[in-house]
Amino acid sequence: MKKFLFIATASISLFACTPKTAEITEKVEPSFPNEDVAMGDKLYVENCGKCHGLKTVTDYTPEQWKKIVPNMAAKAKIDSDAENKILQFVLWKTENK
Ligand code: HEC
């Protein structure tokens, strides 16, 4: 009986903690400077690995990315808001490798 109680209490406290940590990790990864860049990372992963594998951001220079992103955004059929966030993300990443 004692053992059962212990397990019950342990799982209750585990459940109580889970939503809090999930909230924090979902908001912004701490290494990103702002929400746009964090969102850009998400959008990049979601939209940019469909036709080819996800390209390594640091393989290209910022100058190349400024041409590549509009080009690929058209292929991926994403809106200009998503395009802008992806561009912010790749530019940030090339400067913070
Ligand atoms: C509809 C298909 C499609 C989608 C979606 C797509 N691409 Fe591409 N991408 C291509 C094709 C085709 C090429 C040329 C062949 C190759 O390099 O694999 C290419 C090439 C590239 C290259 C290499 C360019 C170069 O000059 O060497 C990069 C970088 C790239 N894509 C990034 C992206 C990014 C970022 C996104 C998301 C916004 C994206 N792609 C989404 C089809 C796509």
Side-chain angles (χ1 to χ4, degrees):
M1 190 55 188
K2 242 190 181 168
K3 198 174 181 191
F4 170 76
L5 265 179
F6 170 73
I7 291 166
T9 330
S11 44
I12 286 167
S13 48
L14 209 137
F15 277 124
C17 287
T18 311
K20 268 189 194 157
T21 17
E23 239 170 63
I24 292 164
T25 44
E26 252 179 53
K27 232 181 162 185
V28 182
E29 282 200 33
S31 52
F32 293 129
N34 60 53
E35 299 262 355
D36 280 3
V37 171
M39 203 57 207
D41 173 48
K42 254 187 100 181
L43 290 163
Y44 184 80
V45 174
E46 281 168 10
N47 297 289
C48 303
K50 286 179 186 163
C51 302
H52 40 70
L54 271 185
K55 303 278 183 186
T56 304
V57 175
T58 48
D59 283 353
Y60 301 88
T61 64
E63 284 62 42
Q64 286 173 305
W65 276 121
K66 282 175 198 162
K67 290 179 199 137
I68 292 167
V69 171
N71 197 350
M72 289 296 148
K75 282 194 199 294
K77 299 191 169 62
I78 52 175
D79 60 25
S80 59
D81 184 56
E83 176 187 330
N84 185 264
K85 285 177 175 137
I86 289 172
L87 184 61
Q88 286 192 53
F89 162 70
V90 293
L91 293 181
W92 171 79
K93 185 120 178 184
T94 52
E95 280 157 20
N96 296 274
K97 9 181 165 181

